[in-house]
Amino acid sequence: MIWDLSKFFNSSDELDKFCLDLQNRANEFKAKFSQNLSNINANEFQNAMSEYEEILSGIGKIMSYAYLKFAKDTSQGAFLAKYEEICAKIEEIVLFFEIEFNELKSEIQNNFISNTPKFSYYLENLAKNKPHQLSFLEERILLRTANTGASAFSRLFDESMARARFEFRGQSLKEEEILSKLSSDDREIRKEAAIALSQGLKPMQHLLTYIYNMIKTDLKNSCELRGYEYGESSRHLSNQIEKSSVDALIKASENSFDLVSKFYDKKREILGFDKLYDYDRYAPLGGDEKMDYEEAKSIVIKAFSEFSPLFGNLAKRAFDENWCDVYPDENKQAGAFSHSASSDTHPFVLLNFTGRRRDLFTLAHELGHSIHQYLSYSVGYLSSHTPLTTAETASVFCEMLVFEYIKNSLPKEQRVALLAGKIEDIFATLYRQINFTTFERRIHSYEGEISSDEIDRIWLEESKKMFGDSLILNDYYKIWWSYIPHFIHSPFYCYAYSYAQLLVLALFGLYKSGKCENFVEIYTKFLSLGGSKSPKELVGMFGFDIDDEKFWNIGIDQVANLVNEFIKGE
């Protein structure tokens, strides 16, 4: 139940030879096509695109290997840095290609786009980036300094959090282990865990605040250089949606915050507490249920197989072929992810399984990503990268598959407890990510460096919007922004989770209704297309229009149905 990274390279010599060969290939590519794109025909350009894709795919393979070694053991920072530098130099060699493509006359550019169908959507999006593209020399400098900028601070954050320890009842726990205590059925354990988390984070506040300020400053500089209006603008462009669509998502979500209060009022009543505190959010109803990894595997395979034999078979492959690195370990990166890796290997899933039922849904979530990534290998490296607006769809959908599978087999009392857990997961994926996004908007609109106290104040204000009077946030909660990795690694990533949650609820409702007889076939194609079509086109395959503001209410109505079901206790 640990990764076999030799599937990338069997030895350091093989890795270094691959790097040298790739660099030579990049130099040959540059010699053939630099300052020559306007002189080749459409067929030659298509061949050039294929070569370009293979070079970038090679870079991706090297970086996947280096990053996964680092994620498994964050003491491997020097190894990661070495290959980041090597890959940056190879990228620099082929940097001319996309810049010179956007310098072509529009008629030549359009001819290339229309006559290279495999890459047409990729090239269309590339052309949309033209207003934000800098000169070759400027782009070269930014590429060369990237590893000492935001990515360096991201690495520092990862290494710092991996080494952080939280003192709890005589034990020194890692981040994942202390966070898991917040789901205990013992209120004193939850309370002590919340305090321990806060006490462990407090000495790190100067460092974590500085890291966040550097991320903020780096993004601000990039936006000014590239002519983006807002800090979030580049994210919207890469997600292939408009800011107005995100604004509509936020508005629809905030207008339904009352569902959060209704849920927690009922939960407080069931728990028999006078008041609920932040450490009561994930208090389980009906006991702190344990679940070992073998049981979780069995449930996932059965739930996925009921939906689609293909999904079940891919999940089984993931387990049989050790796609997953399962348990917390010394220096292992916190959290969970699925890394697409390379098409000649397979996706790699990082878990920190601690034996809670919540870990079952994390497993389903990350395997959903893996299935999506594996299926999208079919459209090639450049088109396989899915925009964040649809990247979370498969993961959240697979969580729903597991939820429905379990719910149908439980007696009433356990079903209500499971329903509560699922609603909390939806709140975390939908409303909490909206809080994160509005928090980031305020932070990134702040001029100059921002103090820890000011970040704390903004975090607490945005968090309270979601819970209203239904939950009391203790003073220590104000520093909990500091362990959220997305703020560091991917500014303005978080609304994609909210987007995906509402999209999935709409899709899952369509699936359960039986109104779409070939839903599984369409959904499999949807995932297999990766990022080769726009989110609007992909979602349109199911008859939905993401530009319609009413679309978001379809998903919110599903949330309301779940909350009402919980309140009725049926």
Side-chain angles (χ1 to χ4, degrees):
M1 291 181 283
I2 61 174
W3 294 329
D4 176 12
L5 298 183
S6 67
K7 292 179 180 179
F8 288 97
F9 304 102
N10 286 312
S11 66
S12 296
D13 288 344
E14 183 181 344
L15 168 61
D16 290 338
K17 183 178 185 305
F18 184 89
C19 292
L20 182 59
D21 290 345
L22 190 65
Q23 182 172 339
N24 290 336
R25 188 170 183 183
N27 281 320
E28 290 171 4
F29 179 83
K30 182 178 181 180
K32 190 188 304 182
F33 295 110
S34 181
Q35 302 299 320
N36 194 38
L37 293 185
S38 60
N39 300 319
I40 62 177
N41 59 39
N43 186 57
E44 290 170 322
F45 181 78
Q46 181 166 279
N47 292 335
M49 281 298 302
S50 295
E51 286 187 53
Y52 181 63
E53 179 178 52
E54 289 174 9
I55 293 169
L56 293 189
S57 178
I59 293 171
K61 182 174 182 176
I62 297 166
M63 284 310 305
S64 290
Y65 178 67
Y67 173 69
L68 292 170
K69 280 182 71 71
F70 172 75
K72 176 66 177 169
D73 178 4
T74 55
S75 69
Q76 294 286 324
F79 181 87
L80 175 62
K82 173 184 176 180
Y83 289 98
E84 281 180 333
E85 184 176 355
I86 289 171
C87 286
K89 289 180 178 178
I90 299 173
E91 282 187 84
E92 185 181 327
I93 296 170
V94 297
L95 179 63
F96 76 91
F97 189 69
E98 294 190 359
I99 294 173
E100 291 182 16
F101 172 80
N102 271 340
E103 292 174 347
L104 292 171
K105 294 179 180 179
S106 57
E107 57 267 28
I108 298 176
Q109 195 177 64
N110 292 334
N111 178 50
F112 286 166
I113 291 173
S114 61
N115 285 287
T116 53
K118 178 183 176 182
F119 303 106
S120 59
Y121 185 63
Y122 177 86
L123 293 169
E124 286 170 3
N125 283 321
L126 182 58
K128 289 178 183 177
N129 276 284
K130 182 176 181 178
H132 309 291
Q133 180 178 287
L134 304 178
S135 70
F136 175 80
L137 289 178
E138 290 170 315
E139 294 285 0
R140 181 189 178 194
I141 292 169
L142 290 176
L143 178 63
R144 180 63 68 90
T145 58
N147 293 330
T148 56
S151 66
F153 287 103
S154 293
R155 174 184 155 192
L156 177 60
F157 175 86
D158 285 343
E159 292 183 4
S160 300
M161 292 307 299
R163 286 165 174 72
R165 294 296 180 266
F166 304 88
E167 301 305 316
F168 178 83
R169 296 188 174 185
Q171 297 176 290
S172 185
L173 302 181
K174 291 184 52 129
E175 178 189 346
E176 290 297 326
E177 294 170 319
I178 195 66
L179 290 174
S180 73
K181 301 291 184 187
L182 296 175
S183 301
S184 171
D185 62 350
D186 185 323
R187 197 181 200 194
E188 278 305 307
I189 289 178
R190 295 197 304 271
K191 182 177 180 180
E192 289 178 37
I195 293 170
L197 174 65
S198 305
Q199 289 177 338
L201 290 172
K202 192 172 182 180
M204 303 172 68
Q205 289 307 289
H206 177 74
L207 172 65
L208 296 176
T209 298
Y210 182 72
I211 290 172
Y212 199 12
N213 270 295
M214 292 303 98
I215 296 296
K216 182 175 88 72
T217 302
D218 185 85
L219 180 61
K220 181 176 183 292
N221 290 339
S222 176
C223 289
E224 289 180 355
L225 286 170
R226 296 187 181 281
Y228 289 116
E229 185 175 1
Y230 304 102
E232 64 198 84
S233 297
S234 60
R235 180 69 66 191
H236 302 331
L237 186 61
S238 66
N239 284 344
Q240 299 155 38
I241 58 174
E242 299 295 327
K243 181 177 179 294
S244 58
S245 180
V246 179
D247 292 340
L249 166 65
I250 291 174
K251 182 179 179 181
S253 300
E254 290 186 331
N255 286 342
S256 62
F257 276 167
D258 63 301
L259 294 175
V260 179
S261 294
K262 288 179 181 178
F263 169 78
Y264 280 112
D265 284 341
K266 181 64 177 180
K267 182 171 185 177
R268 177 185 53 76
E269 178 186 316
I270 294 172
L271 289 169
F273 298 155
D274 292 331
K275 297 177 180 179
L276 281 187
Y277 291 88
D278 48 75
Y279 52 77
D280 293 318
R281 276 182 304 163
Y282 300 126
L285 301 180
D288 186 11
E289 295 195 24
K290 307 288 185 182
M291 177 170 291
D292 65 36
Y293 186 60
E294 291 303 315
E295 183 183 2
K297 284 167 55 177
S298 176
I299 290 171
V300 165
I301 290 172
K302 289 175 182 176
F304 285 18
S305 297
E306 280 193 5
F307 173 71
S308 161
L310 175 61
F311 276 47
N313 288 336
L314 286 175
K316 190 173 185 305
R317 274 193 63 188
F319 297 133
D320 292 345
E321 299 174 12
N322 288 340
W323 293 12
C324 306
D325 194 293
V326 180
Y327 297 108
D329 198 3
E330 191 73 16
N331 292 330
K332 182 178 177 181
Q333 187 172 312
F337 63 70
S338 178
H339 187 84
S340 183
S342 57
S343 59
D344 60 346
T345 55
H346 54 69
F348 285 76
V349 175
L350 180 136
L351 302 169
N352 279 279
F353 197 91
T354 57
R356 308 286 181 183
R357 187 164 63 187
R358 192 174 298 276
D359 293 331
L360 165 66
F361 292 104
T362 300
L363 175 62
H365 182 102
E366 300 306 339
L367 283 178
H369 277 309
S370 290
I371 289 171
H372 195 176
Q373 291 160 350
Y374 183 85
L375 291 175
S376 67
Y377 286 162
S378 63
V379 293
Y381 182 78
L382 291 178
S383 297
S384 65
H385 299 292
T386 309
L388 296 179
T389 39
T390 49
E392 293 295 334
T393 308
S395 53
V396 180
F397 191 91
C398 284
E399 285 189 64
M400 288 298 296
L401 290 175
V402 169
F403 168 70
E404 286 288 322
Y405 178 83
I406 298 176
K407 187 180 79 166
N408 295 337
S409 64
L410 294 177
K412 177 182 175 181
E413 183 178 334
Q414 293 182 31
R415 191 165 63 247
V416 171
L418 180 73
L419 182 60
K422 187 58 195 171
I423 291 170
E424 287 163 353
D425 286 342
I426 290 174
F427 285 175
T429 308
L430 171 58
Y431 295 124
R432 192 164 183 247
Q433 305 304 319
I434 292 298
N435 279 165
F436 287 0
T437 302
T438 55
F439 166 75
E440 286 189 283
R441 281 183 164 184
R442 290 180 66 181
I443 294 298
H444 285 274
S445 67
Y446 199 95
E447 289 295 326
E449 288 201 16
I450 183 167
S451 68
S452 295
D453 289 343
E454 187 68 4
I455 300 175
D456 294 348
R457 182 184 67 80
I458 294 171
W459 170 259
L460 209 53
E461 287 178 359
E462 292 303 317
S463 298
K464 286 179 177 178
K465 289 180 182 179
M466 170 179 168
F467 299 109
D469 296 328
S470 66
L471 197 76
I472 297 171
L473 300 178
N474 285 294
D475 184 65
Y476 59 66
Y477 188 84
K478 66 187 181 185
I479 68 172
W480 285 19
W481 60 268
S482 59
Y483 74 87
I484 308 298
H486 287 111
F487 297 156
I488 307 302
H489 297 315
S490 309
F492 296 103
Y493 181 108
C494 293
Y495 73 77
Y497 285 111
S498 306
Y499 185 109
Q501 181 67 79
L502 292 182
L503 171 57
V504 164
L505 287 170
L507 291 178
F508 202 79
L510 179 63
Y511 165 60
K512 296 299 290 184
S513 72
K515 293 178 181 178
C516 182
E517 293 182 3
N518 58 338
F519 181 91
V520 175
E521 179 185 342
I522 296 174
Y523 188 68
T524 304
K525 183 179 180 182
F526 169 93
L527 299 182
S528 300
L529 287 169
S532 63
K533 293 186 180 298
S534 71
K536 182 177 176 63
E537 284 182 277
L538 291 171
V539 177
M541 293 164 62
F542 300 96
F544 293 131
D545 180 4
I546 62 171
D547 289 338
D548 186 347
E549 291 187 16
K550 296 177 183 177
F551 168 72
W552 302 116
N553 290 322
I554 299 173
I556 289 173
D557 286 344
Q558 294 293 321
V559 180
N561 290 340
L562 290 171
V563 171
N564 290 333
E565 182 182 349
F566 173 72
I567 291 172
K568 291 176 182 178
E570 297 175 354

